[in-house]
Structures are given as C-alpha cells and as structure tokens.
Amino acid sequence: MAVTRQQKMEFARSKARLAAGGLRAFLRFCAAEKRRGTLWKNLQGAFSGAIEDMSWSDLLEEKAAEIPDKTFLRYREESYTYRQMNENADRVASYLVSLGADNRKGMGIFMRNSPRFLDLYFAAQKCGMYVVPINSELKGDGLLYIINHSDIEFLAVDAELLPEIAELPGKMEHIREVIVDDVEEEAKDYKIPKGYRKLSTAYDFPAKRPPMRYGKDDMVLIMYTSGTTGRPKGVVYTASRTKVKLLGIVGGITMKPDDVYYTALALCHGNAMLLTVTQSLHMGATVVLARKFSASRFWDDIRRYDVTVFNTIGSIIPILMKQPESVKDRCHRVRYVLSAACPTDLWVPFEERFGVKLFEGYGAVDSGGKGIVNLGTAPPGSLGKPLGKPGSCRIVDEKGNDVPPGVPGELIFKVSDKKSSIRYYKNEEASEKKMRGGWMYTGDLVKRDEDGYLYFVGRDTESMRKGGENVSAYEVEHVIRQHPGVEEVAVYAVPSELAEDEIMAAVKPAAGVTVDPAALRSYLAGKLAKFAVPRYIRIVSEFPMTQTHRVIKKELERQGVTTDTYDAQAK
C-alpha cells in the first residue's frame, strides 16, 4: 500500500522529534564521557572503531554515585535504589572472590528473572569474570552443551531449577562451584544438595568491590543464540566492545529519567538485558521486573507500578489482544511500547484498544550493533528504513544479487572490521560465515516496498521462532534421533495462527518399529525446552532426498500439515 501525503508529513514530524532527541542523547553522552575522562579519545575513536567501552557493573557504580537514592529496581514487593543494587552486587562479588573467582573465569547464570539474577550479573563483572546467561527453559543435552562449551567454572542456579541439573554433575566438565539461589519464594520446597553453595550467604559479606579490572580484550559476556543449522553460538562481548555506551545513546533518544521501564522477558536474552536494563541504567530510570510473562497479570502490573515503557515481542501482542476487554484497558501511564515483529494486522488495533504508541525495532545479539527502527517514522507493520548511509544494507537472493521491491531476500549489513565485528566463542567458522566480503549476513528475510520501507518476512528455513525463542532445527533433530525407535527425522516450521512459527517433525521409524506421536512428544518433553517440542508430528516411510543424502525440507514445508499429521493441540 502506497504511503499517503499525510503519512509522509507525520513521518517527517516524528523524524524531527527524534533528531532533537538524538541531539540531546549525544550531548548527554558527551557530558558523561567528559566526566569519565574519555571524551576526546572516544570522539576520535568513533571514526576508527577504537571506542573505550565499559562494563555493566562500571555503569551501575557510576549511577550509584550520581543518584544513590533513586529507585533502580522493583520486583514484586521488593524495591532497590541504585546504591542498594551496587552494594548488593559488591557483597556478591566479595563472596565470589572467597570461592576463587578471578579474572577471565566464567560464571553461568541459569535462573529466572529476579533481583538476584542482576546481583550475580553485576558481581561477576566486578570480579573481572565473563557472564554466560543461560535460558532457564533449557534442559538435558541442550543445557549441558552450553555449560560445557562456554568453559564456565561457576554456575548459579535457581533452587526450582535444580532438577534440571540433578543428572549433570558428572558431565559438567569445568564446573567448580554451584551456587543455588535459595532466596526466592519459589525455593522453599527444594533441598540444597550437599556440596552446593547457598546464595543467601553472599549477602553477609562486606559491600566492597574486589580490585579486579578487565583487560581490553577480556570477555565480559557471552550470549548464546540459536544458529540456523547447528548448535547454539555464543556471541562474545569484550571489554572494549560491550556496546554499553552505544546503547545509552540509542536509549536516550526516546527515554526519560523519570521513565518506569517494565519487562516480563527473560534477562538471559538481549531484549531485557540490553534494552530494558542497560538503557534504564544510562537514563537513571526505574526498572520493573516480572519473574515471567503472565497475560492475566500483565496490565495489572503495568498499572500497579505506574509503568511508562515496556517491551514486547510479536507473539505476546496476539495473546494480550485475546484477553477479555476491560474498562481499564486504557487506564495506565504507558508512553510507548517497543515491539519486535508485531503482526501487521494487529498493530493499529493494539494501539487503539490500549491507547499506546507502538514502536518497532529490529536487531539481534549477533547483529554487531546493526538495527532498524520504526519510531513513528514508517507505516504500521514496517521495520522502517535502514539507518546509516545509502547502501549500508542490502536485500539479496541466495546468489548474493539484490532483489527488486516486493521480493523477499536476506537482509545483509555493510560492516568494517574496525567498527563492527562479531565473534562466536570457539567457532571461527561460524564467525567467518556471518561476516564475509565486508557484509554481515543476518539470516533474516525481509522485503522492501516502492517507498524504501522494509518489512519482516521470516527467518532462515533452518531456524524457527517459537515463544520468543530462536529454535534450531538441528538441535531438535539431534534429540529426536536419540529415541530408539527413530531412524531419521526432519524438523521445520509451518505457519502459525500467531506471529511466530509452529514446529513440525517428520519422523521415519526404524525398521520393524512403530512410533506413537503422542508418546514421542512425552519423551521429548523431558529433553527439550517446552517451546522447542514440536506441535505437529508426521510419521513417514521415506523422505525426499538429495543426491548427497540430505532431506529436501522445502518439499516437506510445501506439503505442510497433512491429514495424517498428529496435532498435539487437536481436541
């Protein structure tokens, strides 16, 4: 649909407001850099990629000194000022040092959302450690892979998640200490195994930061993200390239110091940690943290905590829209909502029902800081126009040729080795594949309209999106193949009623064996995260194969959900 003249005028006004916000954000950045003593160095470094960055714990310390009594975090009935958060992080850091924490050692955090998650996150960085947030929905082989691959020596785990690691101790290759979060109310029914540490002990230690600091190339954070065809890949953030300062500039364009930023998304992901927490820290705003998403409690939380900003993902918006309408739907203080992959047909209805302004953002933890935003500057449903100079991004086909408007293709960004680089932990091959020929390949399909606005189409066929998570077909196949009755399997996405994918598995039984789809799902429930268990299972006798013995998944996708397919949600 062509953009009208009135829309173009609205977009122009929004751009003018954003330009003013951008100028304020840049001036705020310069003032902060002057206080840090790095202004001139980083203004010069902005052109060479040699910016002196900072850790999240450094930023927390800075803000604790500037605004010690401002409320930083609210969680359930708990409330913490910037000073209190910093002191708690110092206590946990002192505790970690007493256990042998040191520079270049890794700390895995296998926990649901809570203030304790953040205490450990900041504390590990105060010790010069690198942090590995681990998805709390993982279990079995998928969980063990990240624990071992990341080389972490310390593992913090919620008491309620102890059953997931109960059979792993003999298999965890590098773990020296397991620290159990026994503070949460959910922990009361769990017994702490002998030899494990209690996190509650940490809060008796002195609030004094250990004298550790990062070297320029030391790792600060590894965030794992599912690949398109293989195991999860760990995106490395080093001390000189955390992107913490860049996030401050981006957040400063739309955020205000008196904002109350709510998230029910997991802290182990970039959305909650890099957007909500990091940008709120920079602005001196308040974070409201939910343990997990609840559709029935969502708007009650928004009203209870006087929230002004929240993030959402495409699959959450349909769920919120399906809740019973209420006279309270517009009773809140929300200024705007930052969404990712909002269904186009629900964009305007969502805004009208709840009386909010919806902004759309595109990015990923392995995007090297690249992104696209629609802050009221593009039509509803659009990602917006590419940021940066003309030609800074392209949409290409499988051969690397640019596609015409209206035709889906892979989104790629122009990069410089100095300014942007992506490193996957212990996976040089994947790093080189991601960045090649001066371009970063996203693996995401988009299309461009005649006016130059981009629209999200989907993801690489080997990667699926379910429950806000990227699911690797390879990983799901790997687990299904472990079933004694399965000879071969192919996992792929089929269309969903919501904005994301439904996962389907085609299974070829071993000779002389009968595989019951319902029993297979029960088997998988104990080995895969809930969101990764296929909804659809189809039993086949043969697969369409290439000459190199690869299953032709496109053919299976074309066939879709056939009449002989088992549907776990069918009545």
Side-chain angles (χ1 to χ4, degrees):
M1 184 180 296
V3 177
T4 65
R5 182 179 179 183
Q6 181 178 353
Q7 283 180 309
K8 290 181 178 179
M9 292 176 63
E10 292 175 355
F11 300 159
R13 286 193 289 268
S14 295
K15 289 177 181 177
R17 288 194 296 270
L18 291 172
L23 178 59
R24 290 193 297 271
F26 179 71
L27 294 176
R28 188 181 297 110
F29 165 79
C30 289
E33 285 296 282
K34 184 177 180 180
R35 291 194 299 272
R36 296 167 186 145
T38 52
L39 175 60
W40 180 240
K41 178 179 180 179
N42 277 346
L43 286 179
Q44 290 179 309
F47 297 98
S48 63
I51 286 180
E52 182 178 305
D53 223 315
M54 66 195 307
S55 70
W56 284 262
S57 62
D58 288 335
L59 181 57
L60 174 62
E61 288 186 357
E62 217 177 65
K63 291 300 178 181
E66 292 175 15
I67 47 174
D69 298 322
K70 174 76 179 289
T71 299
F72 168 65
L73 182 67
R74 299 188 68 187
Y75 172 79
R76 293 177 173 171
E77 302 303 321
E78 302 175 47
S79 180
Y80 300 92
T81 64
Y82 277 81
R83 174 181 53 80
Q84 290 170 328
M85 283 299 298
N86 189 55
E87 289 177 347
N88 282 339
D90 282 340
R91 291 187 177 95
V92 177
S94 297
Y95 174 66
L96 292 176
V97 170
S98 76
L99 298 180
D102 203 345
N103 286 74
R104 301 181 181 87
K105 291 181 180 178
M107 156 74 79
I109 305 179
F110 182 51
M111 296 167 56
R112 304 192 193 283
N113 286 1
S114 73
R116 270 56 64 182
F117 186 113
L118 290 173
D119 289 345
L120 285 157
Y121 185 87
F122 295 129
Q125 293 179 9
K126 286 171 178 280
C127 298
M129 304 177 77
Y130 64 90
V131 184
V132 182
I134 303 174
N135 191 326
S136 62
E137 295 297 320
L138 291 177
K139 55 183 71 176
D141 183 67
L143 171 60
L144 182 63
Y145 173 78
I146 291 180
I147 290 173
N148 287 340
H149 182 267
S150 62
D151 297 318
I152 55 175
E153 297 182 35
F154 291 71
L155 177 64
V157 56
D158 273 328
E160 64 181 295
L161 296 178
L162 281 171
E164 306 305 334
I165 66 167
E167 298 180 5
L168 300 184
K171 302 175 182 178
M172 296 189 291
E173 297 172 356
H174 311 288
I175 298 298
R176 291 177 43 199
E177 298 284 356
V178 176
I179 303 168
V180 181
D181 179 6
D182 60 327
V183 179
E184 313 310 320
E185 62 183 60
E186 290 83 359
K188 60 184 178 181
D189 296 326
Y190 293 90
K191 183 178 180 181
I192 311 302
K194 184 178 180 180
Y196 287 6
R197 309 283 185 170
K198 293 182 179 181
L199 180 60
S200 57
T201 306
Y203 296 95
D204 295 328
F205 276 69
K208 183 178 180 181
R209 175 171 182 166
M212 280 83 165
R213 286 294 185 272
Y214 288 110
K216 176 182 176 182
D217 297 321
D218 286 347
M219 293 190 299
V220 175
L221 173 69
I222 303 178
M223 275 199 166
Y224 277 83
T225 178
S226 294
T228 57
T229 58
R231 289 287 198 178
K233 298 187 290 291
V235 183
V236 175
Y237 294 75
T238 61
S240 60
R241 294 186 178 183
T242 59
K243 299 293 191 298
V244 167
K245 291 183 177 180
L246 172 63
L247 288 166
I249 298 176
V250 174
I253 295 174
T254 55
M255 283 191 68
K256 300 177 181 179
D258 60 354
D259 271 328
V260 179
Y261 206 149
Y262 176 86
T263 186
L265 303 177
L267 288 170
C268 64
H269 285 175
N271 196 309
M273 184 60 73
L274 303 185
L275 297 182
T276 305
V277 173
T278 309
Q279 293 182 356
S280 295
L281 273 172
H282 273 289
M283 296 303 297
T286 299
V287 173
V288 174
L289 186 64
R291 190 156 181 84
K292 59 183 179 179
F293 171 73
S294 168
S296 61
R297 294 197 302 268
F298 186 87
W299 287 106
D300 288 339
D301 277 355
I302 297 298
R303 287 184 282 269
R304 175 186 177 188
Y305 296 107
D306 289 326
V307 171
T308 60
V309 182
F310 68 83
N311 285 359
T312 184
I313 53 178
S315 60
I316 287 179
I317 287 179
I319 295 173
L320 293 177
M321 289 293 287
K322 288 181 180 179
Q323 298 303 300
E325 292 192 22
S326 168
V327 294
K328 296 182 179 180
D329 279 349
R330 286 172 166 253
C331 295
H332 55 74
R333 297 180 56 233
V334 175
R335 293 195 300 111
Y336 67 88
V337 177
L338 183 59
S339 170
C342 174
T344 302
D345 61 331
L346 292 180
W347 187 304
V348 174
F350 184 82
E351 289 184 324
E352 292 178 346
R353 174 177 170 179
F354 296 108
V356 297
K357 181 64 178 176
L358 194 67
F359 293 156
E360 181 81 358
Y362 169 86
V365 295
D366 61 349
S367 66
K370 303 292 184 181
I372 305 172
V373 292
N374 176 358
L375 304 179
T377 53
S382 170
L383 300 176
K385 288 186 177 181
L387 304 174
K389 300 177 181 178
S392 59
C393 80
R394 296 164 56 203
I395 305 173
V396 300
D397 60 21
E398 295 178 354
K399 297 181 179 179
N401 299 317
D402 292 287
V403 299
V407 176
E410 182 177 4
L411 177 65
I412 64 175
F413 287 97
K414 191 174 184 61
V415 295
S416 162
D417 289 339
K418 291 183 178 179
K419 292 185 179 180
S420 301
S421 65
I422 297 167
R423 173 187 159 202
Y424 294 119
Y425 187 60
K426 298 194 306 188
N427 196 337
E428 186 175 344
E429 180 181 352
S431 301
E432 292 177 352
K433 184 177 180 181
K434 183 77 174 180
M435 310 276 290
R436 57 188 191 272
W439 295 90
M440 182 194 73
Y441 287 73
T442 66
D444 289 328
L445 301 178
V446 302
K447 62 182 179 181
R448 178 187 286 112
D449 66 16
E450 295 290 347
D451 294 302
Y453 296 107
L454 304 187
Y455 295 80
F456 184 77
V457 175
R459 289 174 169 80
D460 186 284
T461 56
E462 290 296 303
S463 180
M464 301 160 288
R465 187 76 170 174
K466 182 67 176 176
E469 305 285 347
N470 287 326
V471 180
S472 167
Y474 172 90
E475 279 204 290
V476 181
E477 290 166 353
H478 175 74
V479 174
I480 294 177
R481 285 194 186 98
Q482 295 177 11
H483 188 285
V486 173
E487 179 179 305
E488 186 55 272
V489 59
V491 173
Y492 46 98
V494 292
S496 166
E497 303 95 290
L498 301 178
E500 297 183 303
D501 301 317
E502 291 292 354
I503 301 175
M504 182 166 176
V507 174
K508 180 182 178 181
V513 177
T514 299
V515 175
D516 175 62
L520 178 59
R521 286 194 87 253
S522 297
Y523 168 84
L524 297 176
K527 299 179 180 296
L528 287 170
K530 183 178 179 180
F531 58 77
V533 177
R535 169 181 172 178
Y536 298 108
I537 297 178
R538 180 186 176 195
I539 307 300
V540 300
S541 58
E542 297 292 341
F543 282 112
M545 308 287 285
T546 67
Q547 290 181 328
T548 56
H549 201 69
R550 293 179 180 271
V551 177
I552 305 174
K553 290 190 178 181
K554 288 187 178 181
E555 175 61 22
L556 296 173
E557 292 169 358
R558 186 191 65 77
Q559 296 172 11
V561 181
T562 56
T563 55
D564 62 346
T565 299
Y566 169 82
D567 180 2
Q569 295 183 16
K571 294 182 180 179

